[in-house]
Every structure is written in C-alpha cells, then in structure tokens.
Amino acid sequence: MKIIIAEKPSLARNIAAAIGNGVKKNGYIACQEYLVTWAFGHLFSLVDIEDYAPTAHGRWCMDNLPCLPEKFRFALRKGKDGGRDEGVAKQFELIKALCTRADVDTIINAGDADREGEIIIRLCIQNAGVTDKRVQRLWLPDQTPETIRTALGSMKDAGEYDLLAGEGFARTYIDWLYGVNLTRFATLKTGTFLRVGRVIIPIVKAIYDRDMAIRHFKPEPYLAIVSAQETNGEKIELVSKNKFSADEQNKALALCAAYNEAGAYVTAVKRKKDKLNPGKLYSLSKLQNFLGKKYKMPMEESLKVAQKLYEEGYLTYPRTNSEYLATAEKDKIRKIIAAVAKKGYPVCFKDQKSIFDDSKIESHSALTPTYKIPDPARMTENEKIVYSAVMRRFVAVFCSEDCIADKTEIKIQCADEEFTLKGTVILEKGWTRFDDTERKNKMLPALKKGDAVNVNFQPVTKETHPPKHYTIETLNNYLKNPFREEKARLAEEASAEAVDDAEDYKAIFEGLELGTEATRTGIIDNARHSHYIELKKDVYRILPEGEYLIESLARMGISMDKYKTSEMGKALKKVYHGEYTVEDSVAIAKEEIRRVFAPTNDSLETDTDIGLYGDEMGVCPLCGQTVVRTKFGYGCRGYKEGCRFSINLTICGRVISAANVKQLLATGKTAKIKGFISKAGKPFDGALCLQEGKVNFDFSD
C-alpha cells in the first residue's frame, strides 16, 4: 500500500479522481493500492524565540536577542489565537497514523511543485517519525487526470529532490532569522510594530526611493531643437539629439540657423514586408503585468485566480518564472494544440527555439492552458479574464496565420546630424487577432532617396520630467532583475518586438531577483496590508507608515537594500546547485544579523545608537520631569502638563544618539559630534548645547 500526502485537500481530490474508484474515509480517500490524504498547506512552522530563550515576563525584550539557533525546531502550526489548532493537530495525527501503518511501504510527497511544497510534506514525514519506508516524489506541472496518471507512473525517489528541499529549508531559516530578530529589534527601538523581512524591506524601499525622487524633483527647463514642416503635403517632425540649457538661447538659435541653411534631404529609404513575432508565453509576473496594466487587477487577485484554475486542471502550474517550454514537453503541447484547435482556433505545432528552450527553465515551464477546456458559463468574470489572457497568448504563439507587416525606415540628413523615421503598417493581422498586445499602424510620408525635406528648426522650451511611480508592471520587472539598467528595461517595456532576455534569466538563475514568482505576490500584499504601500488602479505609492519604516531602519543603521537581499538570494541558489550547504547559507545570514546587534561606535563623536523606546535620558531643563525616548525623538513626560521640550532623532541629517542626549541633559553640552550636513549639502562637525531650554549648535571649541 502507498500513501500520497497532498499539500491541499483540492489536490488530494484531483489525485484520487485521476486514480479512480476512490472511497472517502475520515481525512483520506482510499483508491485501489493508494491512500490519499492531505495537509492544509503548512502544518508545521518554526518555533518562536521564547522556545529557545524564554523570558520571565514573556514580553518582547532585548534579553533574548539576537536569537541564532544552532538547530532550528519546528512545531505544529498554532491557531489565530496563538493556541493549539485542533484541525491541524487532528490531520497530522491522521497522516502519522497512515504513514506508520504496517501495510504501507511507500510514502509519496505530493506537495506543490516548488521548494515550499517540497518541505511542507517532508516536515510531515519527518515529524511522523518514519525512517524505514520508501519515499517518492509526485511532481505535477498541472492537475489534469492524464498528467496525474502519467506522473504516478514516473515518480523519482525523494532523494532526487534533496537540493530543492535544502534550498527550501535554507530560505525558511534565513527568513525566520531576519524577520523575527529584526522585527523585534526595530519594534523595541521605535515603540511601533515594524514588520522587517529579507524581501519586504527592499520592495518597500524601492517604492519609497522612487516616490521621494518624484516628491523632491525640480523640473529644469531646456531647449529642444525641433522642426515640424510639411513636405509633399505631409508634416514631418524632426527632433535633434542636441539639447541646450535655458540660458543657452544664442547657441540654440545658432544651431537652428545652421540646420535651416544646410537644408535636409532623404539619404535612404528601406521598405520590406516582414513577419512580426508574437510575445513569449507567460511567466507569472508577465501575466500579472498584463492583467495589472489592462484590467488594473492586483497581483494577489491574478495569482489567486490562476491558482484556482490550476487546481481545477485548466492551467499549468502558475508560479513559474519562465516564458519557455521544455523540449521534453513537445508531445504534451501537441495534445493541447489539438484540444485548442477543436475550439476553432487556427493553431499548429511549431518547433522553435523561441518557444522550446531548456536553458531558460529552472523548475517550471511557461504558463499555458491544458487540454482541459473550461465552460465559460461556469466561470467568474475574473476567471474568464485570466484564462482568456493565457489562452490568447498560447494561440498567438502557435497561430498558423502569420502577422505580415510593411516596415519602412527613412533616413534624413541635415548638416552633420542624421534623423531616422520608422513606421509599420499591418497588412495581414494573423495572430494579432487573438493576442491582447496592441499594435497600431504608424504611417510614414511617401518619400524617396534624394528628396528634399522642408525644415524650419526652432528652439522649443521644454521641461525635464520626474520619474514615474511604480506600476504593477514596472515594479514586477524591477524585482525580477533589480540590477538591469533602467534605460534598457524601459526600452524593452516600450518595444513590441522580441528582445534578448538572456540577462534577465541569468539574474533569475543566480538568485539576484528580489523574491520569487512563488513569494513576491504575497510579500507585496503583506506590505499593503501593513499600510506601508498602497495600490490605486495599477500604481504603487508609499504611505506615511512606509516612510517611517524605511527612515527608522536608516536611523538604526539597518541596511536591507537590494544588494544584501540579492546576496542572500545567490546563497540560496548555491544551495540548490549543491555549491553551498544549508548551514553555509544560514551562517551568512547569522553574521549579517550579528552586525546589527553589535556596537559599532566606541566614541560619542560617531555614536548613532538611539537606545530603546521609553528609555530614560535625564532631567528636563524646563520642568524637571524625565525625558524619554519617543517615537520621533526624545521628549519630556511633562507634555501632558504643557511642557514642550523635545529633541529630534535627526538634526541636520545626523542621528543624535541616546548617549549624546544623556550628556546634553546632564552637562548642558555634548562633545563634538561628527557628520552633520548643512542645507547647502556640506558636511560639518559641532557640539550641541542647551540655551534656554532649546537645542543649538556650539562651535566654540
């Protein structure tokens, strides 16, 4: 007898249905030689800090921080109230009983086909105490009956997935180390619950940095050199690459005069009919980009719908980072094409490198429909939108009708500058009838080589523009490869043509992306629910709580930017590739966390330690009550009686440490403090002093 442990009840039902002749029992389904049971996602989670280092009062404190366990321990997941979850406990006891039955000789891990699904079921097996039975892995790219039956006949031993499990455990341990230690540290420092995590912080910081750049942007006028004259009855706009500052009017006018005197003429005209290629199949992020841009659908909604369609057998596994198919899947794709063709779509099999490329697949192929076609009448509106997007892209890629376009390129010479005009006219729509990509005709004037072009260049005053807020699409693209040059990324987003994506896949396989296709959506959703960011239509903006989070971490010297997060991502990938052990990657995280808690200053001149929220600093010079650390600085407890004495956490760009505040209150003056920044942006040093209950600078020494 074999026991199959599915990650969720819905998958267990699909597996049992594919096997057939199932009999429902209490918590499992008996199917021929299989017993099919399930988890509820995570049944186990890492224990909390207090399980390693209990405190007398049970409250968060610095006494047991940092917590860096030698060996991590798991326990059954608790309920929402923090107590025992009876449903979780009951289901695990059933799994344990089934695994230890005398007639069971094989246990099958049917977690979702990713690193998280891998460890969810492994933890169930490990905690059941089973060591003497064969363990196999059921790997399902989709949940159709045919795929399930095929996968059951070609399972590998669990050991084949040890590196994937290692990556999953390493990610779990590392995220716990960062999240638990730094969330408590930041919360105790600020007196405000701050959710700190390895990935959530660089995501929020990216939005913060962009919004700060927009907020502080000062438009600068410049002079563009533009001609917009008619030739043969058609307006031809030429914009010079030369630009001038607003005070260079004479230079701009001189260049305009030179261009106008030289005149312009056509040096080359290229026209050709060409086939336009469709976009690539969807990865999860590219699907979310499209749905966010066109339908303003939030990422968590698009993932939820895609996951549901996957569980119902209509789509392949959605959490994929690839836009390509595996060469081993060609027969499977032929069957899907046959099913799609029966619905009236003009599709045919295409064996092309732009579609099938093993080098650009890590674990999962691109998102596609399956041979199982849903009934639209039984789908919600969002299900129709998501499914239609995937189906239309699939049809476009395998369309038997080419899109034929007339492409024109005209080069115009004026003095020593060459201008290029490009136009495209769709002659035969082909696959564009099905894909949602908008392609508009751009007509060019009928010019031939040697034609004179009328010009009248004039300086036109324009202004520089601030960067744009992140959208679902642009944030997703940034997170997928945060080190790609912004100009290159924008050019790709604006282009309808296929581009070389080798750089992006290299970043994914090396672990440079921020988060993964499987985790990013949930992390961004957590940031929204924590009120750090907001999403309106498809535009992200920072919220005041998010500003406070990022600025507080900066004051505390906690740096969790894209560089450090990506370094940990690279370490996780090295575990997956067998280059690091789990312990190697965890050691890197532990060292980073030790640095946060280690004192970095032995001099008041450079000290930036702000102490803990509520720490007593000294006596108020105005009313004699106690000054304490507050959320935004240091303030008098007598504020309720009207005392307004306070000291900001930051003065002239410099964090004022608790030790310096104590010295200031005790003696009326600090020693010299280094690192202030003037309004003009120049660094300076100086002491702080108290004068009539106010803080001022003292440069007398």
Side-chain angles (χ1 to χ4, degrees), residues 207-395:
I207 297 170
Y208 170 88
D209 289 343
R210 177 63 58 87
D211 282 17
M212 291 303 106
I214 294 170
R215 185 181 300 176
H216 300 301
F217 182 82
K218 294 180 180 179
E220 293 185 3
Y222 68 93
L223 296 173
I225 307 304
V226 180
S227 172
Q229 295 297 105
E230 285 191 359
T231 297
N232 298 336
E234 295 202 52
K235 181 193 256 187
I236 300 176
E237 184 174 64
L238 303 177
V239 181
S240 172
K241 64 179 180 291
N242 295 294
K243 298 177 182 178
F244 297 90
S245 61
D247 59 357
E248 293 179 314
Q249 180 82 14
N250 290 337
K251 289 184 180 180
L253 288 170
L255 184 64
C256 288
Y259 276 15
N260 292 335
E261 182 179 352
Y265 60 96
V266 177
T267 57
V269 177
K270 294 180 182 179
R271 286 192 177 92
K272 67 173 182 176
K273 285 186 179 180
D274 199 3
K275 289 194 299 185
L276 295 186
N277 295 318
K280 294 187 287 290
L281 294 168
Y282 282 127
S283 64
L284 175 61
S285 60
K286 289 301 175 70
L287 174 65
Q288 290 175 317
N289 290 352
F290 167 73
L291 296 171
K293 187 174 184 178
K294 182 162 185 177
Y295 299 101
K296 314 306 178 192
M297 188 181 291
M299 290 172 62
E300 67 271 19
E301 175 63 16
S302 56
L303 175 57
K304 182 178 75 173
V305 174
Q307 179 71 21
K308 183 171 183 289
L309 292 170
Y310 159 69
E311 291 173 1
E312 292 174 346
Y314 300 129
L315 294 181
T316 55
Y317 185 71
R319 292 176 171 86
T320 173
N321 57 19
S322 182
E323 299 161 273
Y324 295 85
L325 299 172
T327 54
E329 296 178 299
K330 290 178 182 178
D331 287 342
K332 170 187 166 183
I333 295 302
R334 286 187 177 97
K335 292 177 182 177
I336 297 173
I337 288 172
V340 170
K342 288 179 181 179
K343 293 297 179 179
Y345 291 108
V347 289
C348 65
F349 182 78
K350 297 178 181 178
D351 193 349
Q352 298 172 354
K353 186 75 170 178
S354 60
I355 301 173
F356 296 93
D357 189 345
D358 292 339
S359 70
K360 292 178 179 176
I361 299 172
E362 187 176 39
S363 297
H364 297 284
S365 295
L367 184 55
T368 73
T370 67
Y371 67 81
K372 186 179 175 183
I373 311 294
D375 178 2
R378 305 184 66 174
M379 302 173 76
T380 66
E381 192 59 34
N382 277 354
E383 286 170 356
K384 291 177 186 176
I385 289 171
V386 174
Y387 183 80
S388 176
V390 177
M391 174 62 84
R392 284 174 174 271
R393 178 54 62 90
F394 183 84
V395 170

Side-chain angles (χ1 to χ4, degrees), residues 17 63 95 132 186 215 250 297 304 489 639 641 651 671 689:
D63 297 346
I95 292 172
D132 59 346
R215 185 181 300 176
N250 290 337
M297 188 181 291
K304 182 178 75 173
R489 187 181 293 114
Y639 72 94
E641 290 83 43
I651 297 175
C689 65

Side-chain angles (χ1 to χ4, degrees), residues 18 32 39 147 262 424 430:
Q32 301 172 41
T147 297
T424 301

Side-chain angles (χ1 to χ4, degrees), residues 626-656:
T626 304
V627 174
V628 297
R629 250 291 320 284
T630 63
K631 181 176 180 179
F632 295 102
Y634 308 89
C636 179
R637 280 182 175 158
Y639 72 94
K640 291 182 179 179
E641 290 83 43
C643 183
R644 293 292 178 262
F645 178 78
S646 66
I647 302 171
N648 291 333
L649 272 178
T650 304
I651 297 175
C652 290
R654 170 68 158 82
V655 173
I656 307 304

Side-chain angles (χ1 to χ4, degrees), residues 535-675:
L535 177 66
K536 286 188 175 179
K537 293 186 177 179
D538 71 329
V539 175
Y540 288 107
R541 286 184 173 85
I542 198 75
L543 292 174
E545 291 92 334
E547 293 182 31
Y548 182 74
L549 169 71
I550 298 302
E551 291 167 3
S552 294
L553 293 178
R555 284 192 289 266
M556 289 181 275
I558 298 176
S559 174
M560 296 187 68
D561 56 21
K562 65 182 182 181
Y563 299 98
K564 287 192 175 180
T565 297
S566 293
E567 282 301 311
M568 287 311 312
K570 287 167 65 176
L572 291 176
K573 285 302 174 190
K574 287 184 177 181
V575 174
Y576 177 68
H577 293 299
E579 299 170 22
Y580 276 6
T581 65
V582 172
E583 292 73 23
D584 290 337
S585 64
V586 170
I588 297 172
K590 286 181 176 179
E591 185 57 33
E592 284 289 331
I593 291 164
R594 285 192 185 97
R595 289 196 189 104
V596 172
F597 287 86
T600 55
N601 297 298
D602 53 11
S603 166
L604 289 180
E605 287 187 342
T606 57
D607 186 26
T608 57
D609 185 356
I610 60 176
L612 301 180
Y613 177 83
D615 280 354
E616 296 184 352
M617 298 292 113
V619 177
C620 174
L622 296 182
C623 72
Q625 295 199 51
T626 304
V627 174
V628 297
R629 250 291 320 284
T630 63
K631 181 176 180 179
F632 295 102
Y634 308 89
C636 179
R637 280 182 175 158
Y639 72 94
K640 291 182 179 179
E641 290 83 43
C643 183
R644 293 292 178 262
F645 178 78
S646 66
I647 302 171
N648 291 333
L649 272 178
T650 304
I651 297 175
C652 290
R654 170 68 158 82
V655 173
I656 307 304
S657 71
N660 272 306
V661 171
K662 289 178 180 178
Q663 185 183 58
L664 178 65
L665 294 175
T667 66
K669 183 180 177 181
T670 69
K672 181 175 67 175
I673 300 174
K674 294 182 177 180

